[in-house]
Coordinates of all heavy atoms in Angstrom, one line a residue:
M1 N 31.1 52.0 17.7 CA 29.8 52.6 17.9 C 28.9 52.4 16.7 O 29.4 52.6 15.6 CB 29.9 54.0 18.3 CG 28.7 54.5 19.0 SD 29.2 56.0 19.8 CE 27.8 56.6 20.3
S2 N 27.7 52.0 16.8 CA 26.9 51.8 15.6 C 26.0 53.1 15.4 O 25.6 53.8 16.3 CB 26.0 50.6 15.8 OG 25.1 50.8 16.9
T3 N 25.8 53.3 14.1 CA 24.9 54.4 13.7 C 23.5 54.0 13.6 O 23.2 52.8 13.5 CB 25.4 55.0 12.4 OG1 25.3 53.9 11.4 CG2 26.9 55.4 12.4
P4 N 22.5 54.9 13.6 CA 21.1 54.5 13.5 C 20.9 53.7 12.2 O 20.0 52.9 12.1 CB 20.4 55.8 13.5 CG 21.3 56.8 14.2 CD 22.7 56.3 13.9
G5 N 21.6 54.1 11.1 CA 21.5 53.3 9.8 C 21.9 51.9 10.0 O 21.3 51.0 9.4
D6 N 23.0 51.7 10.7 CA 23.4 50.3 10.9 C 22.4 49.5 11.7 O 22.2 48.3 11.4 CB 24.8 50.3 11.7 CG 25.9 50.8 10.8 OD1 25.8 50.8 9.6 OD2 27.0 51.2 11.4
D7 N 21.8 50.1 12.8 CA 20.8 49.4 13.6 C 19.6 49.1 12.7 O 19.1 48.0 12.8 CB 20.4 50.3 14.8 CG 21.5 50.4 15.8 OD1 22.4 49.5 15.8 OD2 21.5 51.3 16.6
A8 N 19.2 50.0 11.9 CA 18.0 49.7 11.0 C 18.3 48.6 10.0 O 17.5 47.7 9.8 CB 17.6 51.0 10.3
Q9 N 19.5 48.6 9.5 CA 19.9 47.6 8.5 C 19.9 46.2 9.2 O 19.4 45.3 8.7 CB 21.3 47.9 8.0 CG 21.9 46.9 7.0 CD 21.1 46.9 5.7 OE1 20.5 47.9 5.3 NE2 21.2 45.8 5.0
R10 N 20.5 46.2 10.4 CA 20.6 44.9 11.1 C 19.2 44.4 11.5 O 18.9 43.2 11.4 CB 21.4 45.1 12.4 CG 21.6 43.8 13.2 CD 22.6 43.9 14.3 NE 23.9 44.1 13.8 CZ 24.7 45.1 14.0 NH1 24.4 46.0 14.8 NH2 25.9 45.1 13.5
E11 N 18.3 45.3 11.9 CA 17.0 44.9 12.2 C 16.2 44.4 11.0 O 15.5 43.4 11.1 CB 16.2 46.1 12.8 CG 14.8 45.8 13.3 CD 14.1 47.0 13.9 OE1 14.8 47.8 14.5 OE2 12.9 47.1 13.7
M12 N 16.4 45.0 9.9 CA 15.8 44.6 8.6 C 16.3 43.2 8.2 O 15.5 42.3 7.8 CB 16.0 45.6 7.5 CG 15.2 45.3 6.3 SD 15.3 46.7 5.1 CE 17.0 47.1 4.9
E13 N 17.6 43.0 8.4 CA 18.2 41.7 8.0 C 17.7 40.6 8.9 O 17.3 39.5 8.5 CB 19.7 41.7 8.1 CG 20.4 42.6 7.0 CD 21.9 42.8 7.3 OE1 22.4 42.4 8.4 OE2 22.5 43.3 6.4
Q14 N 17.5 40.9 10.2 CA 17.0 39.9 11.2 C 15.6 39.6 10.9 O 15.1 38.4 10.9 CB 17.2 40.4 12.6 CG 18.6 40.4 13.1 CD 18.8 41.0 14.5 OE1 17.9 41.5 15.1 NE2 20.0 40.9 15.0
R15 N 14.8 40.6 10.5 CA 13.4 40.4 10.2 C 13.3 39.5 8.9 O 12.5 38.6 8.9 CB 12.7 41.7 9.9 CG 11.2 41.5 9.7 CD 10.4 42.8 9.5 NE 10.6 43.7 10.6 CZ 11.0 45.0 10.5 NH1 11.1 45.5 9.3 NH2 11.1 45.8 11.5
A16 N 14.2 39.8 7.9 CA 14.2 39.0 6.7 C 14.5 37.5 7.0 O 13.9 36.6 6.5 CB 15.1 39.6 5.7
L17 N 15.5 37.3 7.9 CA 15.9 35.9 8.3 C 14.8 35.2 9.0 O 14.6 34.0 8.8 CB 17.2 36.0 9.1 CG 18.5 36.3 8.4 CD1 19.7 36.5 9.4 CD2 18.8 35.3 7.3
R18 N 14.1 35.9 9.9 CA 13.0 35.3 10.6 C 11.9 34.9 9.6 O 11.2 33.9 9.7 CB 12.4 36.2 11.6 CG 13.2 36.3 12.9 CD 12.5 37.0 14.0 NE 12.2 38.4 13.8 CZ 13.1 39.4 14.1 NH1 14.2 39.1 14.6 NH2 12.8 40.6 13.8
N19 N 11.6 35.8 8.6 CA 10.6 35.5 7.6 C 11.0 34.2 6.8 O 10.2 33.4 6.5 CB 10.4 36.7 6.6 CG 9.7 37.8 7.3 OD1 9.0 37.6 8.3 ND2 9.8 39.0 6.7
V20 N 12.3 34.2 6.4 CA 12.8 33.0 5.6 C 12.6 31.7 6.5 O 12.2 30.7 6.0 CB 14.2 33.2 5.2 CG1 14.8 31.9 4.6 CG2 14.3 34.3 4.1
R21 N 13.0 31.8 7.8 CA 12.9 30.7 8.7 C 11.4 30.2 8.8 O 11.1 29.1 8.8 CB 13.5 31.0 10.0 CG 13.5 29.9 11.0 CD 14.4 28.8 10.5 NE 13.8 27.5 10.9 CZ 14.3 26.3 10.4 NH1 15.3 26.3 9.6 NH2 13.7 25.2 10.8
G22 N 10.5 31.2 8.9 CA 9.1 30.9 9.0 C 8.6 30.2 7.7 O 7.8 29.2 7.8
L23 N 9.1 30.6 6.5 CA 8.7 30.0 5.3 C 9.3 28.6 5.2 O 8.6 27.6 4.8 CB 9.2 30.8 4.1 CG 8.5 32.1 3.9 CD1 9.2 32.9 2.8 CD2 7.0 31.9 3.5
V24 N 10.5 28.4 5.7 CA 11.1 27.0 5.6 C 10.3 26.1 6.6 O 10.0 25.0 6.2 CB 12.6 27.1 6.1 CG1 13.1 25.7 6.3 CG2 13.4 27.8 5.0
D25 N 9.9 26.6 7.8 CA 9.1 25.8 8.7 C 7.8 25.4 8.1 O 7.3 24.3 8.2 CB 8.9 26.6 10.0 CG 10.2 26.7 10.8 OD1 11.1 25.9 10.6 OD2 10.2 27.5 11.7
K26 N 7.2 26.4 7.4 CA 5.9 26.1 6.8 C 6.0 25.1 5.7 O 5.2 24.1 5.5 CB 5.3 27.4 6.2 CG 3.9 27.3 5.6 CD 3.4 28.6 5.1 CE 2.0 28.5 4.6 NZ 1.7 27.5 3.7
I27 N 7.0 25.2 4.8 CA 7.3 24.2 3.8 C 7.5 22.8 4.4 O 7.0 21.8 3.9 CB 8.4 24.6 2.9 CG1 8.0 25.9 2.1 CG2 8.9 23.5 1.9 CD1 9.2 26.5 1.3
E28 N 8.3 22.7 5.4 CA 8.6 21.4 6.1 C 7.3 20.8 6.6 O 7.1 19.6 6.5 CB 9.6 21.6 7.1 CG 11.0 21.8 6.6 CD 12.1 22.1 7.7 OE1 11.7 22.3 8.9 OE2 13.3 22.1 7.4
T29 N 6.5 21.6 7.2 CA 5.2 21.1 7.8 C 4.3 20.6 6.7 O 3.7 19.6 6.8 CB 4.5 22.3 8.6 OG1 5.4 22.7 9.6 CG2 3.2 21.8 9.2
D30 N 4.2 21.4 5.6 CA 3.4 21.0 4.4 C 3.9 19.6 3.9 O 3.1 18.8 3.5 CB 3.4 22.0 3.3 CG 2.6 23.3 3.8 OD1 1.8 23.2 4.7 OD2 2.7 24.3 3.1
D31 N 5.2 19.5 3.8 CA 5.8 18.2 3.3 C 5.5 17.1 4.2 O 5.1 16.0 3.7 CB 7.3 18.3 3.1 CG 7.8 19.2 2.0 OD1 6.9 19.5 1.1 OD2 9.0 19.6 1.9
Q32 N 5.5 17.3 5.5 CA 5.2 16.2 6.4 C 3.7 15.8 6.3 O 3.4 14.6 6.3 CB 5.5 16.6 7.9 CG 7.0 16.7 8.2 CD 7.2 17.2 9.6 OE1 6.3 17.7 10.2 NE2 8.5 17.1 10.0
L33 N 2.8 16.8 6.2 CA 1.4 16.5 6.0 C 1.1 15.7 4.7 O 0.3 14.8 4.7 CB 0.6 17.8 6.1 CG 0.6 18.5 7.4 CD1 -0.2 19.8 7.3 CD2 -0.1 17.6 8.5
A34 N 1.8 16.1 3.6 CA 1.6 15.5 2.4 C 2.1 14.0 2.4 O 1.5 13.1 1.9 CB 2.4 16.2 1.3
K35 N 3.3 13.8 3.1 CA 3.8 12.4 3.3 C 2.8 11.6 4.0 O 2.5 10.4 3.7 CB 5.1 12.5 3.9 CG 5.8 11.1 4.0 CD 7.2 11.2 4.6 CE 7.8 9.9 4.7 NZ 9.2 9.9 5.3
R36 N 2.3 12.1 5.2 CA 1.3 11.3 5.9 C 0.1 11.0 5.1 O -0.5 9.9 5.2 CB 0.9 12.1 7.2 CG 1.9 12.2 8.3 CD 1.3 12.9 9.5 NE 2.4 13.3 10.4 CZ 2.3 14.2 11.2 NH1 1.2 15.0 11.3 NH2 3.4 14.5 12.0
S37 N -0.4 12.0 4.3 CA -1.5 11.7 3.5 C -1.3 10.6 2.5 O -2.1 9.8 2.2 CB -1.9 13.0 2.8 OG -3.0 12.8 1.9
Q38 N -0.1 10.6 1.9 CA 0.3 9.6 0.9 C 0.3 8.2 1.5 O -0.1 7.2 1.0 CB 1.6 9.9 0.2 CG 1.5 11.1 -0.7 CD 2.9 11.5 -1.2 OE1 3.9 11.0 -0.8 NE2 2.9 12.5 -2.2
V39 N 0.9 8.2 2.8 CA 1.0 6.9 3.5 C -0.4 6.4 3.8 O -0.7 5.2 3.6 CB 1.9 7.0 4.7 CG1 1.8 5.8 5.6 CG2 3.3 7.3 4.3
R40 N -1.3 7.2 4.3 CA -2.6 6.8 4.6 C -3.4 6.4 3.4 O -4.1 5.4 3.4 CB -3.4 8.0 5.3 CG -2.9 8.2 6.7 CD -3.7 9.4 7.3 NE -3.2 9.7 8.6 CZ -3.3 10.8 9.3 NH1 -3.9 11.8 8.7 NH2 -2.8 11.0 10.5
T41 N -3.2 7.0 2.3 CA -3.8 6.6 1.0 C -3.3 5.3 0.6 O -4.1 4.4 0.2 CB -3.6 7.7 -0.1 OG1 -4.1 8.9 0.3 CG2 -4.2 7.3 -1.4
L42 N -2.0 5.0 0.7 CA -1.5 3.7 0.3 C -2.0 2.6 1.2 O -2.4 1.6 0.7 CB 0.1 3.8 0.3 CG 0.8 2.5 -0.1 CD1 0.5 2.2 -1.5 CD2 2.3 2.7 0.1
I43 N -2.0 2.9 2.5 CA -2.5 1.9 3.4 C -4.0 1.6 3.1 O -4.4 0.4 3.1 CB -2.4 2.3 4.9 CG1 -0.9 2.3 5.2 CG2 -3.2 1.5 5.8 CD1 -0.6 2.9 6.6
G44 N -4.8 2.6 2.8 CA -6.2 2.4 2.5 C -6.4 1.6 1.2 O -7.2 0.7 1.1
L45 N -5.5 1.9 0.2 CA -5.6 1.1 -1.1 C -5.3 -0.4 -0.9 O -5.9 -1.3 -1.4 CB -4.7 1.7 -2.1 CG -5.2 3.1 -2.7 CD1 -4.1 3.7 -3.6 CD2 -6.5 2.9 -3.5
V46 N -4.2 -0.6 -0.1 CA -3.8 -2.0 0.2 C -4.9 -2.7 0.9 O -5.2 -3.9 0.6 CB -2.4 -2.0 0.9 CG1 -2.1 -3.4 1.4 CG2 -1.3 -1.5 0.0
L47 N -5.4 -2.1 2.0 CA -6.4 -2.8 2.8 C -7.7 -3.0 1.9 O -8.3 -4.1 2.0 CB -6.8 -1.9 4.0 CG -5.8 -1.9 5.1 CD1 -6.3 -1.0 6.2 CD2 -5.6 -3.3 5.7
G48 N -8.0 -2.1 1.1 CA -9.2 -2.2 0.2 C -9.0 -3.4 -0.7 O -9.9 -4.2 -1.0
A49 N -7.8 -3.5 -1.3 CA -7.5 -4.6 -2.2 C -7.5 -6.0 -1.5 O -8.1 -6.9 -2.0 CB -6.1 -4.4 -2.9
V50 N -7.0 -6.0 -0.3 CA -7.1 -7.3 0.5 C -8.5 -7.6 0.8 O -8.9 -8.8 0.7 CB -6.3 -7.1 1.8 CG1 -6.5 -8.3 2.7 CG2 -4.8 -7.1 1.5
I51 N -9.3 -6.7 1.2 CA -10.7 -6.9 1.5 C -11.5 -7.4 0.3 O -12.2 -8.4 0.3 CB -11.4 -5.7 2.1 CG1 -10.9 -5.4 3.5 CG2 -12.9 -5.8 2.1 CD1 -11.3 -4.1 4.1
V52 N -11.2 -6.8 -0.9 CA -11.9 -7.2 -2.1 C -11.5 -8.6 -2.5 O -12.3 -9.5 -2.9 CB -11.6 -6.2 -3.3 CG1 -11.9 -6.8 -4.6 CG2 -12.3 -4.9 -3.0
A53 N -10.2 -9.0 -2.3 CA -9.7 -10.3 -2.7 C -10.3 -11.4 -1.8 O -10.7 -12.4 -2.2 CB -8.2 -10.3 -2.6
V54 N -10.4 -11.0 -0.5 CA -11.0 -12.0 0.5 C -12.5 -12.2 0.1 O -13.0 -13.3 0.1 CB -10.9 -11.5 1.9 CG1 -11.7 -12.3 2.9 CG2 -9.4 -11.6 2.3
L55 N -13.2 -11.1 -0.1 CA -14.6 -11.2 -0.4 C -14.8 -12.0 -1.7 O -15.8 -12.8 -1.8 CB -15.3 -9.8 -0.5 CG -15.4 -9.1 0.8 CD1 -16.0 -7.7 0.6 CD2 -16.3 -9.8 1.8
L56 N -14.0 -11.7 -2.7 CA -14.1 -12.5 -4.0 C -13.8 -14.0 -3.7 O -14.6 -14.8 -4.3 CB -13.1 -11.9 -5.0 CG -13.2 -12.5 -6.4 CD1 -14.5 -12.2 -7.0 CD2 -12.1 -11.9 -7.3
G57 N -12.8 -14.3 -2.9 CA -12.6 -15.7 -2.6 C -13.7 -16.4 -1.9 O -14.1 -17.5 -2.2
L58 N -14.3 -15.6 -1.0 CA -15.5 -16.2 -0.2 C -16.7 -16.4 -1.2 O -17.4 -17.4 -1.1 CB -15.9 -15.3 0.9 CG -14.9 -15.2 2.1 CD1 -15.3 -14.2 3.1 CD2 -14.8 -16.6 2.8
A59 N -16.9 -15.4 -2.1 CA -18.0 -15.5 -3.0 C -17.8 -16.7 -3.9 O -18.7 -17.5 -4.2 CB -18.1 -14.3 -3.9
V60 N -16.6 -17.0 -4.4 CA -16.3 -18.1 -5.3 C -16.5 -19.4 -4.5 O -17.1 -20.4 -5.0 CB -14.9 -18.0 -5.9 CG1 -14.5 -19.3 -6.6 CG2 -14.9 -16.9 -6.9
A61 N -16.0 -19.5 -3.3 CA -16.1 -20.7 -2.5 C -17.6 -20.9 -2.1 O -18.0 -22.1 -2.2 CB -15.3 -20.5 -1.2
W62 N -18.4 -19.9 -1.9 CA -19.8 -20.1 -1.5 C -20.5 -20.6 -2.8 O -21.4 -21.4 -2.7 CB -20.3 -18.8 -1.1 CG -21.8 -18.9 -0.7 CD1 -22.3 -19.4 0.4 CD2 -22.9 -18.4 -1.4 NE1 -23.7 -19.3 0.4 CE2 -24.1 -18.7 -0.7 CE3 -23.0 -17.7 -2.7 CZ2 -25.3 -18.4 -1.2 CZ3 -24.3 -17.4 -3.1 CH2 -25.4 -17.7 -2.4
R63 N -20.2 -20.0 -3.9 CA -20.9 -20.4 -5.2 C -20.6 -21.9 -5.5 O -21.5 -22.6 -6.0 CB -20.4 -19.5 -6.3 CG -21.1 -19.8 -7.6 CD -20.5 -19.1 -8.8 NE -19.2 -19.8 -9.0 CZ -18.3 -19.4 -9.9 NH1 -18.5 -18.4 -10.6 NH2 -17.1 -20.0 -10.0
D64 N -19.4 -22.3 -5.2 CA -19.0 -23.7 -5.6 C -19.2 -24.7 -4.5 O -18.9 -25.9 -4.6 CB -17.5 -23.7 -5.9 CG -17.2 -23.0 -7.3 OD1 -18.2 -22.8 -8.0 OD2 -16.0 -22.6 -7.5
R65 N -19.8 -24.3 -3.3 CA -19.9 -25.3 -2.2 C -21.0 -26.3 -2.6 O -22.0 -26.0 -3.3 CB -20.3 -24.6 -0.9 CG -21.7 -24.0 -1.0 CD -22.0 -23.3 0.4 NE -23.1 -22.3 0.2 CZ -24.4 -22.7 0.3 NH1 -24.7 -23.9 0.7 NH2 -25.3 -21.8 0.1
G66 N -20.7 -27.5 -2.2 CA -21.7 -28.6 -2.5 C -21.6 -29.1 -3.9 O -22.2 -30.1 -4.2
R67 N -20.8 -28.5 -4.8 CA -20.7 -29.0 -6.1 C -19.6 -30.1 -6.2 O -18.5 -29.9 -5.7 CB -20.3 -27.8 -7.0 CG -20.4 -28.1 -8.5 CD -20.0 -27.0 -9.4 NE -20.9 -25.9 -9.2 CZ -20.7 -24.7 -9.9 NH1 -19.7 -24.6 -10.7 NH2 -21.5 -23.7 -9.8
E68 N -20.0 -31.2 -6.7 CA -19.0 -32.3 -6.8 C -18.1 -32.2 -8.0 O -18.7 -31.9 -9.1 CB -19.8 -33.6 -6.8 CG -18.9 -34.8 -6.7 CD -19.7 -36.1 -6.7 OE1 -20.7 -36.1 -6.0 OE2 -19.3 -37.1 -7.3
V69 N -16.9 -32.4 -7.8 CA -15.9 -32.3 -8.9 C -15.5 -33.7 -9.3 O -15.0 -34.4 -8.4 CB -14.7 -31.4 -8.6 CG1 -13.7 -31.4 -9.7 CG2 -15.2 -30.0 -8.2
V70 N -15.7 -34.1 -10.5 CA -15.3 -35.4 -10.9 C -14.2 -35.3 -11.9 O -14.4 -34.6 -12.9 CB -16.5 -36.2 -11.6 CG1 -16.1 -37.6 -12.1 CG2 -17.7 -36.3 -10.6
I71 N -13.1 -36.0 -11.7 CA -12.0 -36.0 -12.6 C -11.9 -37.3 -13.2 O -11.6 -38.3 -12.5 CB -10.7 -35.6 -11.8 CG1 -10.8 -34.2 -11.2 CG2 -9.5 -35.6 -12.8 CD1 -9.7 -33.8 -10.3
T72 N -12.1 -37.4 -14.5 CA -12.0 -38.7 -15.2 C -10.6 -38.8 -15.8 O -10.0 -37.9 -16.3 CB -13.0 -38.8 -16.3 OG1 -12.8 -37.8 -17.2 CG2 -14.4 -38.8 -15.7
P73 N -10.0 -40.0 -15.7 CA -8.7 -40.2 -16.3 C -8.8 -40.2 -17.8 O -9.8 -40.6 -18.4 CB -8.2 -41.6 -15.8 CG -9.5 -42.3 -15.4 CD -10.5 -41.2 -15.0
P74 N -7.7 -39.8 -18.4 CA -7.8 -39.8 -19.9 C -7.8 -41.2 -20.4 O -7.3 -42.1 -19.8 CB -6.5 -39.1 -20.3 CG -5.6 -39.3 -19.1 CD -6.4 -39.3 -17.9
P75 N -8.3 -41.4 -21.6 CA -8.3 -42.8 -22.1 C -6.9 -43.3 -22.4 O -6.0 -42.5 -22.7 CB -9.1 -42.7 -23.4 CG -9.1 -41.2 -23.8 CD -8.9 -40.5 -22.5
P76 N -6.7 -44.6 -22.3 CA -5.3 -45.1 -22.5 C -4.9 -45.0 -24.0 O -5.7 -45.1 -24.9 CB -5.4 -46.5 -22.0 CG -6.8 -46.9 -22.2 CD -7.6 -45.6 -21.9
K77 N -3.6 -44.8 -24.2 CA -3.1 -44.8 -25.6 C -3.1 -46.2 -26.1 O -3.0 -47.1 -25.3 CB -1.7 -44.1 -25.6 CG -1.7 -42.7 -25.2 CD -0.3 -42.1 -25.1 CE -0.3 -40.7 -24.6 NZ 1.0 -40.2 -24.5
P78 N -3.1 -46.4 -27.3 CA -3.0 -47.8 -27.9 C -1.7 -48.5 -27.4 O -0.7 -47.9 -27.4 CB -3.0 -47.6 -29.4 CG -3.5 -46.2 -29.6 CD -3.2 -45.4 -28.4
G79 N -1.9 -49.7 -26.8 CA -0.8 -50.4 -26.4 C -0.4 -50.1 -24.9 O 0.5 -50.8 -24.4
Q80 N -1.1 -49.1 -24.3 CA -0.7 -48.8 -22.9 C -1.6 -49.6 -22.0 O -2.8 -49.8 -22.2 CB -1.0 -47.3 -22.7 CG -0.6 -46.8 -21.3 CD -0.9 -45.3 -21.1 OE1 -1.5 -44.7 -22.0 NE2 -0.5 -44.8 -20.0
V81 N -1.0 -50.0 -20.9 CA -1.7 -50.8 -19.9 C -2.1 -49.8 -18.8 O -1.2 -49.1 -18.3 CB -0.8 -51.9 -19.3 CG1 -1.6 -52.7 -18.2 CG2 -0.4 -52.9 -20.4
M82 N -3.3 -49.9 -18.4 CA -3.8 -49.0 -17.3 C -3.3 -49.5 -15.9 O -3.4 -50.7 -15.7 CB -5.3 -48.9 -17.3 CG -5.9 -48.1 -18.5 SD -5.4 -46.4 -18.5 CE -6.2 -45.8 -17.1
P83 N -2.7 -48.6 -15.1 CA -2.3 -49.1 -13.8 C -3.5 -49.5 -12.9 O -4.5 -48.9 -13.0 CB -1.5 -47.9 -13.2 CG -2.0 -46.7 -14.0 CD -2.5 -47.2 -15.3
Q84 N -3.3 -50.5 -12.1 CA -4.3 -50.9 -11.2 C -4.0 -50.5 -9.8 O -2.8 -50.5 -9.4 CB -4.4 -52.5 -11.3 CG -4.7 -53.0 -12.6 CD -6.2 -52.7 -13.0 OE1 -7.1 -52.7 -12.1 NE2 -6.4 -52.5 -14.3
G85 N -5.0 -50.2 -9.0 CA -4.8 -49.8 -7.6 C -4.5 -51.0 -6.8 O -4.6 -52.2 -7.3
P86 N -4.1 -50.8 -5.6 CA -3.9 -52.0 -4.7 C -5.2 -52.8 -4.5 O -6.2 -52.2 -4.4 CB -3.3 -51.4 -3.4 CG -3.7 -50.0 -3.5 CD -3.9 -49.6 -4.9
R87 N -5.0 -54.1 -4.4 CA -6.2 -54.9 -4.2 C -6.4 -55.3 -2.8 O -5.4 -55.5 -2.0 CB -6.1 -56.2 -5.1 CG -6.1 -55.8 -6.5 CD -6.0 -57.1 -7.3 NE -5.9 -56.7 -8.7 CZ -6.4 -57.4 -9.7 NH1 -7.1 -58.5 -9.4 NH2 -6.3 -57.0 -10.9
A88 N -7.6 -55.4 -2.4 CA -7.9 -55.8 -1.0 C -7.6 -57.3 -0.8 O -7.7 -58.1 -1.7 CB -9.3 -55.5 -0.7
P89 N -7.1 -57.7 0.4 CA -6.8 -59.1 0.6 C -8.1 -59.9 0.6 O -9.1 -59.4 1.0 CB -6.2 -59.1 2.0 CG -6.3 -57.8 2.6 CD -6.7 -56.8 1.5
Q90 N -8.0 -61.1 0.1 CA -9.2 -61.9 -0.1 C -9.3 -63.0 1.0 O -8.5 -63.6 1.5 CB -9.3 -62.6 -1.5 CG -9.4 -61.5 -2.5 CD -9.3 -62.1 -3.9 OE1 -9.1 -63.3 -4.1 NE2 -9.5 -61.3 -4.9

């Protein structure tokens, strides 16, 4: 048979355990929210970097469009014979 003191003690222990469980649940929820926030931030940063890189590439391509690039061969070294391309049949 239990005494009123035992019942009060048991009730207090159960209340304390429920409080601890509630705190653990709250901490776990906060951790999940923080993780989601970090993942979203990382995705945003990566997407932002990709967009900036694409826009920069487009800007450079647009700036250089229509510009002719001429590559001249280096002058031959003394004694070096310049290679000739294939000749058209005559």
Side-chain angles (χ1 to χ4, degrees):
M1 202 165 170
S2 61
T3 63
D6 290 340
D7 289 341
Q9 178 72 24
R10 181 169 292 122
E11 184 179 327
M12 189 169 48
E13 289 172 354
Q14 288 176 353
R15 185 178 306 130
L17 288 174
R18 281 193 296 271
N19 287 343
V20 169
R21 183 65 216 170
L23 289 173
V24 169
D25 288 343
K26 185 178 185 308
I27 291 171
E28 288 175 349
T29 301
D30 290 346
D31 287 346
Q32 288 175 350
L33 291 175
K35 185 177 180 181
R36 284 184 196 156
S37 176
Q38 290 173 352
V39 168
R40 287 180 183 158
T41 301
L42 180 61
I43 289 172
L45 288 173
V46 169
L47 285 177
V50 168
I51 290 171
V52 167
V54 167
L55 290 176
L56 185 61
L58 289 174
V60 168
W62 181 76
R63 184 190 67 182
D64 291 343
R65 69 182 160 89
R67 192 181 294 180
E68 187 176 320
V69 178
V70 178
I71 301 174
T72 58
K77 295 178 184 174
Q80 181 182 6
V81 178
M82 290 298 292
Q84 298 291 325
R87 296 180 185 218
Q90 296 177 355

